[in-house]
Amino acid sequence: MPAFVSRAAYCRNRWKHWSAAGLLALGLCQTLLAQTSAEAPPSRSLTEWLTRMHEASRQRAYTGTLVVSSASTMSASRIWHICDGTQQMERVETLTGAPRSTIRHNNDVITFVPDHKVAWVDRRESLGVFPELLRTPSNSLPEFYSVREGAAERVAGHLADVVDILPRDNLRFGYRIWSEKKTGLVVKLQTLGEQGAVLEQVAFSELQLDAPVRMDKLKKMMGDTKGYDVHKQVLRKTTAEAEGWRLKETVPGFQSMSCHTRETEAAGTPGQAPMQWVFSDGLASVSMFVEPFDPKRHGTEGAAVTGATHSVTRRIGNHWVTVLGEVPPVTVRRFSLALERLR
């Protein structure tokens, strides 16, 4: 898989690292949830639950330890988050694997890799839990998902509402979410596959709400690049049509959210600069990466899976296409087969 796809894939999954979004998990008893649902209707609609969670992740100051597990792998990070009403800042320090520190101020992001003395500067338009939620029509979500409430549970010392968000078709996964009862902050999240199987889990093992995080201190750390080789990712907004691509048919529920190319020597030639086209249904998202075919880097067409993330690769003429998303394999295949060259 090309390096730029790997980096973009990490960015696509940013909500796992950016906020009190989700995390770690043990399955709840399906029978108990069904009984609870039968006894009382949901206290909030699907849109009300999701909006509450989304806004909580943007408005709270907190620190915590976030654990992400998938299959046999596990990683942990330390998070500091603050918002003064309009300005958000966050620092994420890895506790496992290679040392890495990522700091963001609103949409501006810098990642420090101390082992190599390299810093990557980036800009991301949407961050947080379910980052595209407020950029897609909320009234369309109930067409593709339903909501079911369970009994409250404690996570990292905080009492949380338990909410299941269930897909209405086979094109998207379900979610089980633990939302802190007073604030709505997501403290634990599971991505669910067929028959409720847990594909990926993210959770706070320790969380301090309303923590004394200082924005000025984070700003100073963000600007201190002394001794680092700084690389800036330059992206150009565009449209798939302008780059010579289109979808023959749409995938139900998924809307085009953004399209951009990376700055390269070939950037002046439409269709030659690597392109990323992002789709979302408000919860799940899919990225399509298109780049010139290189026989030295691109192998055979195929499919891959890591936790809840599925991908497919295929060659279209002189281009190599990678479709990547936390969606079922049928969904990435539909996107891949629908893409066609206009010129």
Side-chain angles (χ1 to χ4, degrees), residues 19-232:
S19 54
L23 334 128
L24 210 274
L26 299 172
L28 289 179
C29 173
Q30 295 290 337
T31 302
L32 177 60
L33 283 173
Q35 290 174 346
T36 303
S37 178
E39 292 169 0
S43 61
R44 295 183 177 91
S45 69
L46 172 63
T47 302
E48 288 171 339
W49 272 115
L50 293 173
T51 301
R52 172 177 163 82
M53 297 170 188
H54 187 281
E55 289 304 306
S57 71
R58 296 164 56 88
Q59 297 173 2
R60 308 300 303 186
Y62 55 82
T63 62
T65 301
L66 191 65
V67 179
V68 181
S69 61
S70 174
S72 60
T73 64
M74 185 184 73
S75 62
S77 300
R78 183 70 181 168
I79 295 179
W80 296 260
H81 177 96
I82 186 171
C83 180
D84 65 3
T86 57
Q87 303 294 309
Q88 289 192 75
M89 288 209 71
E90 191 163 73
R91 176 188 173 199
V92 180
E93 193 87 27
T94 60
L95 300 178
T96 54
R100 185 177 64 244
S101 177
T102 302
I103 305 173
R104 75 171 173 97
H105 178 208
N106 296 330
N107 295 338
D108 295 318
V109 181
I110 185 168
T111 299
F112 295 92
V113 185
D115 284 354
H116 300 284
K117 290 298 180 181
V118 171
W120 294 92
V121 176
D122 201 356
R123 185 169 178 82
R124 305 175 193 172
E125 293 184 354
S126 49
L127 301 162
V129 190
F130 304 130
E132 310 298 350
L133 174 61
L134 301 184
R135 301 175 64 201
T136 54
S138 60
N139 58 6
S140 68
L141 283 170
E143 294 182 37
F144 305 101
Y145 297 93
S146 63
V147 63
R148 185 173 63 189
E149 299 173 8
E153 294 185 355
R154 278 166 54 85
V155 176
H158 299 272
L159 190 62
D161 293 310
V162 181
V163 181
D164 277 14
I165 299 176
L166 307 173
R168 297 186 185 275
D169 58 27
N170 67 344
L171 296 176
R172 55 210 95 229
F173 289 134
Y175 306 92
R176 180 165 296 140
I177 306 173
W178 286 254
S179 173
E180 201 274 327
K181 210 164 185 60
K182 293 181 180 179
T183 66
L185 194 68
V186 177
V187 293
K188 176 177 175 179
L189 181 146
Q190 296 175 335
T191 303
L192 307 177
E194 293 183 0
Q195 283 141 13
V198 178
L199 304 176
E200 200 159 74
Q201 308 177 121
V202 196
F204 279 102
S205 61
E206 175 271 325
L207 174 66
Q208 180 185 354
L209 294 174
D210 300 319
V213 182
R214 291 180 51 186
M215 187 171 289
D216 60 339
K217 184 176 180 180
L218 292 183
K219 285 182 179 179
K220 184 176 180 180
M221 295 175 67
M222 188 174 190
D224 186 8
T225 59
K226 184 177 180 180
Y228 281 80
D229 186 10
V230 180
H231 299 270
K232 187 173 183 179

Side-chain angles (χ1 to χ4, degrees), residues 250-326:
T250 60
V251 179
F254 287 89
Q255 302 179 39
S256 175
M257 303 305 300
S258 65
C259 186
H260 62 258
T261 58
R262 289 188 310 125
E263 184 178 86
T264 66
E265 294 180 358
T269 305
Q272 292 303 308
M275 179 186 80
Q276 181 183 8
W277 192 5
V278 178
F279 296 82
S280 177
D281 67 359
L283 298 184
S285 61
V286 174
S287 287
M288 303 183 73
F289 301 92
V290 183
E291 60 182 328
F293 177 73
D294 182 350
K296 295 180 180 179
R297 293 191 299 116
H298 301 136
T300 58
E301 298 178 347
V305 56
T306 303
T309 301
H310 287 82
S311 66
V312 295
T313 54
R314 65 181 293 232
R315 181 178 178 179
I316 301 179
N318 294 322
H319 292 83
W320 188 252
V321 177
T322 301
V323 184
L324 180 78
E326 283 195 353

